[in-house]
Amino acid sequence: MCRQQQYKDRKQGIGRKGINRQMKITILAVGKLKEKYFTSAVQEYSKRLGRYCKLEIIETADEKTPDNASTNEGNIIRAKEAGRLKKYIKDDAYVIALAINGKQMPSEGFADKLDKLGIRGISHIIFIIGGSTGLDSSILEMADEEISFSLMTFPHQLMRVILLEQVYRAYRIINGEPYHK
């Protein structure tokens, strides 16, 4: 590829492997970050991701979950939170729900997934993180796919940081840049 074409591609936001840097990544999360250390980590990864994609973080209100909530109470909470989430799910976006029963993959596999979605022409990916009781089945049904980062359960605030780190790592891998293994 000649230098002139490389320059033109960079101006249009196309990276070395053909990924469109104009991809929009939306993190749609139930609940607000409360601890300063989570907020700082999210701000840092948001800044780092700015060179790779357009990042949007949307927080929706979470429902108060009583201690020892019954199954029925959990269903009601998830349904209310789902109603708020659905307002932000766009028809033209590829939706990935984070769910404990979702597909697990290594970081390289996650990078490959993002790269292939970009190559397929997907320009908007929405990642959905549920609240403390998880995601309602209606949200899981709307998702194009479900992924899981572990069989372990993480606080939903920490999961936001883990997701942003993995998206950042994925872009580093896609662009052939160094990353910690």
Side-chain angles (χ1 to χ4, degrees), residues 5 18 44 52 55 67 70 73 76 87 95 97 103 106 114 120 132 135 149 155 166:
Q5 183 63 44
E44 178 62 27
Y52 299 107
L55 179 67
D67 292 336
S70 69
E73 287 173 311
I76 292 168
K87 295 175 188 174
V95 179
K103 181 182 177 187
L114 292 184
R120 281 184 27 207
S132 59
L135 288 169
F149 285 95
Q166 285 298 305

Side-chain angles (χ1 to χ4, degrees), residues 8-24:
K8 187 176 175 184
D9 285 351
R10 269 187 262 135
K11 278 186 73 176
Q12 292 175 349
I14 299 172
R16 284 197 331 201
K17 287 195 175 182
I19 190 163
N20 185 345
R21 293 180 194 268
Q22 300 308 311
M23 180 173 292
K24 182 177 181 181

Side-chain angles (χ1 to χ4, degrees), residues 14 38 44 75 79 130 134 153 159 161 172 177:
I14 299 172
F38 286 138
E44 178 62 27
N75 291 339
T153 303
M159 197 61 237
V161 176
R172 302 276 298 181
E177 298 168 356

